[in-house]
Every structure is written in C-alpha cells, then in structure tokens.
C-alpha cells in the first residue's frame, strides 16, 4: 500500500528561513491530520537540534514545535522530526520521546552510514520508530547504497528513503535505486524528490512502479 509522508513543515520550511511560525504550523498540522495524511514530518528545516547546534534560529525552538504538535499526536497520523546524524545528541532523542513523537528520521549523506548507527540504536532504545534518509543518494551506485541499507536494517531501521537532494536524478535512475534497495531489505522503501529538472512527479511515479511504498510530498510544491 502506498503512503505519503508530508514534509511541508520540515523541508518546506526552507522557503521561509528555517521554520514556519506557530500559526502556520498549527494550521497545516490541523489540515494534514484531518485529511488523514499518514506520516507528517515537522519542525526546524535542519531537524531537531539544529536551532541549538547549527544556529538555525530563524524558526521556533524544538520545544515550541513539539508543543504545537502535542494536540495532534492522537489524530491517527504519525508525527515526527528529522535528525541530521551530524547533530546527534541523546538529549534530543529524549526530548522527542518525552514529547510523544512517533518517529525520528535520521539523515546522512550516502556513504556516511557509520555515523548513523548510534543515533538509530538510541532512537529504537527509547521506543520510537527510526526512519532514514539517504541524502545525496546518487553519490553511490545502487549496489553500494544497497550495502549501506543492509547495515541500517541490521541496526533496526524501520524505513529507508532515497533522497534526490539536488533534484538531478532521472526516472530510470530512481527505478534502479529503488529496485536495488527493495531487493535486499524487508523494510518500506521511500523516495524524496526535488523538482529542479521538473521531474519530481515522474521520479515519484518511477519509484512507486519500482516498489517504493512511501513517497515524500509537500503542499504547493514545498519540500
């Protein structure tokens, strides 16, 4: 079954600095949950901890985003945040757990899987789902990415997303990457495209036809 992960309130936040204000965050969360969107990623565009670690302060704090999200956590939608593996601190995972988030999605550039194992295990140890984004997936071959996927599955990952960070992948390439990952893993494989070449929809369709079961999306083309 195909599912959507809406990234408007995280990746889409890059269009306004590093994060949407409280009013828009609440409005979008209300609309997405009422529409039954199954998975929603929220917060600072740089992920949880970016406000403090990376100086991405053109946004609300993580605590403020979590407070807004609190009234939607029982809506039936999974709500979570992104965690750049380079900004991993256990206190951020504790913050997410204490706030009742359903997942954290760890992200790292393809080829950097070694730095992601510790945060993934920390997330799982606290009872949250651990999702994953292969940022800049195209820097590895499909076979090389599949080898990294095996390590992530062994670490306990719950989902893997192929991210076309620069928006330069072509549909046949997307298909090759999805097929490579689905051939070696038993977890859902997703795709996150960007529209730099006007191919995000075509790439999403190619991903779905090749076995992807989660597609990232955003309102009004954001994310």
């Amino acid at each position: 079954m195909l599912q959507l992960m809406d990234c408007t309130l995280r990746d889409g936040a890059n269009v306004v600095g590093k994060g949407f204000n409280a009013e828009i965050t609440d409005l979008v969360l209300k609309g997405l949950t009422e529409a039954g969107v199954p998975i929603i990623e929220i917060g600072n565009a740089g992920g949880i901890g970016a406000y403090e670690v990376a100086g991405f302060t053109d946004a609300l704090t993580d605590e403020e985003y979590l407070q807004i999200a609190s009234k939607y956590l029982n809506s039936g939608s999974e709500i979570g945040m992104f965690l750049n593996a380079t900004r991993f601190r256990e206190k951020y995972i504790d913050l997410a757990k204490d706030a009742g988030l359903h997942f954290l999605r760890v992200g790292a550039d393809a080829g950097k899987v070694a730095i992601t194992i510790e945060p993934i295990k920390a997330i799982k140890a606290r009872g949250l789902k651990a999702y994953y984004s292969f940022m800049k997936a195209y820097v590895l071959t499909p076979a090389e990415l599949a080898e990294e996927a095996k390590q992530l599955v062994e670490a306990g990952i719950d989902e893997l997303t192929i991210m076309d960070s620069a928006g330069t992948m072509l549909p046949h390439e997307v298909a090759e990457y999805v097929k490579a990952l689905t051939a070696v893993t038993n977890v859902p494989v997703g795709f996150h495209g960007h529209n730099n070449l006007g191919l995000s929809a075509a790439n999403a369709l190619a991903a779905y036809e090749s076995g992807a079961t989660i597609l990232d999306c955003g309102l009004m083309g954001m994310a």
Side-chain angles (χ1 to χ4, degrees):
M1 180 180 69
L2 180 65
Q3 291 186 304
L4 297 179
M5 177 184 287
D6 190 282
C7 306
T8 307
L9 291 172
R10 200 283 301 172
D11 199 8
N14 283 294
V15 304
V16 294
K18 290 300 178 184
F20 289 104
N21 64 29
E23 180 181 6
I24 292 176
T25 298
D26 186 76
L27 179 68
V28 173
L29 262 176
K30 183 176 186 294
L32 293 175
T33 53
E34 288 182 352
V37 174
I39 312 172
I40 303 169
E41 190 177 68
I42 68 167
N44 194 301
I48 193 169
Y51 188 101
E52 183 179 41
V53 176
F56 289 179
T57 56
D58 191 11
L60 303 181
T61 65
D62 293 328
E63 290 82 358
E64 288 172 313
Y65 285 122
L66 290 167
Q67 179 59 40
I68 296 168
S70 63
K71 58 184 170 181
Y72 301 105
L73 292 173
N74 295 319
S75 65
S77 299
E78 288 187 19
I79 298 175
M81 284 182 163
F82 183 77
L83 172 65
N84 189 309
T86 63
R87 301 179 191 126
F88 164 60
R89 308 286 189 280
E90 292 216 3
K91 66 178 181 178
Y92 299 135
I93 300 178
D94 289 330
L95 178 63
K97 177 185 183 300
D98 292 343
L101 286 187
H102 302 105
F103 70 89
L104 285 174
R105 176 153 67 161
V106 179
D109 291 346
K112 303 290 186 180
V113 70
I115 68 171
T116 71
I117 303 303
E118 185 180 358
I120 290 168
K121 290 185 175 180
I123 292 167
K124 297 294 291 184
R126 288 160 175 80
L128 280 71
K129 289 185 178 181
Y131 292 163
Y132 192 80
S133 282
F134 282 111
M135 297 155 58
K136 303 178 185 176
Y138 41 75
V139 303
L140 295 181
T141 67
E144 290 169 338
L145 202 70
E147 288 303 310
E148 290 207 329
K150 292 178 184 178
Q151 297 178 57
L152 293 164
V153 170
E154 185 175 346
I157 205 72
D158 294 295
E159 184 265 357
L160 298 165
T161 297
I162 298 163
M163 185 175 283
D164 180 14
S165 302
T168 57
M169 294 176 73
L170 302 177
H172 75 275
E173 295 172 325
V174 173
E176 291 172 4
Y177 280 90
V178 172
K179 290 175 182 177
L181 263 61
T182 56
V184 298
T185 69
N186 58 358
V187 301
V189 173
F191 176 73
H192 179 114
H194 288 157
N195 204 40
N196 300 55
L197 298 180
L199 291 173
S200 61
N203 284 341
L205 181 60
Y208 168 68
E209 291 177 341
S210 301
T213 55
I214 298 178
L215 296 177
D216 286 9
C217 62
L219 298 173
M220 299 174 65
M222 294 184 289

